[in-house]
DNA sequence: TCCTTTTCTTTGCTAAAGTCAAAAATAACG
DNA sequence: CGTTATTTTTGACTTTAGCAAAGAAAAGGA
């Protein structure tokens, strides 16, 4: 049983590692095709239309430092993709939200990124897709809670 | 059916994205704890004891440029973790291999990295672990073949 | 043999990604 | 009102990465 765990852990470690490299390459390619820096694409992907975010919210959900986020937002602001206003309730906070231009772009981005994955997934069975979903979902949960405990 | 694909693709896109961010944070943490740069850790993880590699072999299996690899190897060489000798058969080629020190470190690294994943996986069932394995394995295959076609 | 072309690696330069520590601005607390 | 805490930004720096050109060696003609 302990042996079984070790085997499984080893195999999963290896696979996850390879998957990571491939997905990073995929993200880089996609960002480039859309004229975005990878960091910008990653940031845009997590902001939802109509919502506002503080710098730290974005930083922690991207697992980056606030100062890094300031710069990423600088870039998006310069391209008029996001707005940045001081919060009235607490003027230390920034309120970052998508502009109309940003909303349009993010909509397109999400659609095309999902379409890219659709292209990859189209030739396998529904149940295999479900296996992928379940497996990644489980793994994501584990890594995520592990991170919370260990950072 | 098409709708089903779209749903599944969307969900998988989202999850994979989150998993990626978490795993990157995990790698960064682990590398730091072992006094390595992330790129160095990633490189060491793929070289096997006793084997020799050319710069391009390493570059392509890490999805990086040869020039980037030259620098990563520079660093590992400076720490006496790898040897770099000119191939006798074809002196354009470098032959990169682990030193004894490197082998010891890589052994420890692989063991501890697998143990870290074991820690994450220890509280779930064997069948859930198998689901993770299957899901990630399928996904890795898809992304990998997609990359080959699209780069 | 000598010249050209090709292949593999390295070097120089540059950009992008990211962190840390200190500063600036504001809020909150005694 | 002064001190402390919080949020963001700035400056300086490191790490990661690629491109183009140079260097070095092999391979192929003529």
């Amino acid at each position: 049983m302990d042996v079984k765990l070790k085997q499984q852990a080893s195999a999963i470690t290896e696979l996850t590692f390879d998957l990571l490299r491939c997905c990073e390459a995929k993200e880089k390619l996609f960002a480039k095709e859309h004229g975005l820096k990878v960091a910008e694409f990653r940031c845009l992907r997590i902001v939802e239309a109509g919502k506002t975010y503080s710098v730290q919210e974005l930083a922690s959900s991207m697992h980056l430092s606030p100062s890094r986020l300031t710069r990423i937002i600088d870039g998006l602001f310069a391209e008029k993709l996001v707005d940045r206003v001081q919060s009235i309730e607490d003027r230390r906070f920034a309120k970052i939200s998508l502009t109309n231009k940003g909303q349009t772009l993010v909509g397109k981005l999400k659609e095309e990124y999902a379409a890219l994955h659709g292209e990859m997934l189209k030739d396998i069975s529904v149940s295999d897709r479900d296996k992928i979903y379940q497996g990644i979902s489980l793994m994501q949960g584990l890594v995520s809670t592990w991170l919370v405990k260990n950072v």
Side-chain angles (χ1 to χ4, degrees), chain A:
Chain A
M1 46 231 72
D2 203 44
V3 177
K4 183 75 179 163
L5 171 58
K6 254 192 172 167
Q7 280 175 5
Q8 291 182 309
S10 254
I12 290 171
T13 304
E14 199 79 26
L15 272 176
T16 308
F17 191 82
D18 295 342
L19 178 60
L20 213 61
R21 295 295 82 72
C22 289
C23 285
E24 284 172 353
K26 183 192 66 186
E27 274 190 355
K28 188 178 290 186
L29 220 71
F30 186 83
K32 198 172 186 179
E33 276 173 7
H34 290 78
L36 291 167
K37 294 173 189 168
V38 175
E40 289 175 341
F41 166 59
R42 290 180 178 182
C43 184
L44 285 176
R45 267 236 47 192
I46 63 167
V47 301
E48 289 177 37
K51 284 197 184 176
T52 65
Y53 301 82
S54 71
V55 172
Q56 3 180 55
E57 272 173 337
L58 293 176
S60 73
S61 66
M62 291 179 73
H63 301 277
L64 293 173
S65 64
S67 64
R68 178 69 187 119
L69 255 288
T70 294
R71 262 92 182 215
I72 295 171
I73 293 160
D74 281 349
L76 296 172
F77 186 76
E79 307 224 44
K80 299 198 193 310
L81 294 168
V82 301
D83 264 338
R84 171 163 48 183
V85 300
Q86 220 177 15
S87 163
I88 309 171
E89 308 91 64
D90 185 335
R91 292 194 295 177
R92 287 172 299 186
F93 282 84
K95 287 171 80 170
I96 291 134
S97 59
L98 289 174
T99 59
N100 286 341
K101 186 182 171 192
Q103 287 183 27
T104 309
L105 178 61
V106 168
K108 208 183 89 181
L109 241 39
K110 286 192 180 172
E111 200 172 308
E112 290 185 18
Y113 202 49
L116 183 160
H117 288 82
E119 186 60 31
M120 294 188 331
L121 294 161
K122 76 175 197 305
D123 294 327
I124 64 170
S125 66
V126 173
S127 77
D128 271 357
R129 288 183 218 140
D130 206 54
K131 278 186 191 167
I132 291 179
Y133 178 82
Q134 284 185 41
I136 295 191
S137 177
L138 279 166
M139 187 68 184
Q140 206 280 324
L142 289 182
V143 183
S144 175
T145 56
W146 181 89
L147 267 183
V148 174
K149 283 185 207 153
N150 290 271
V151 174

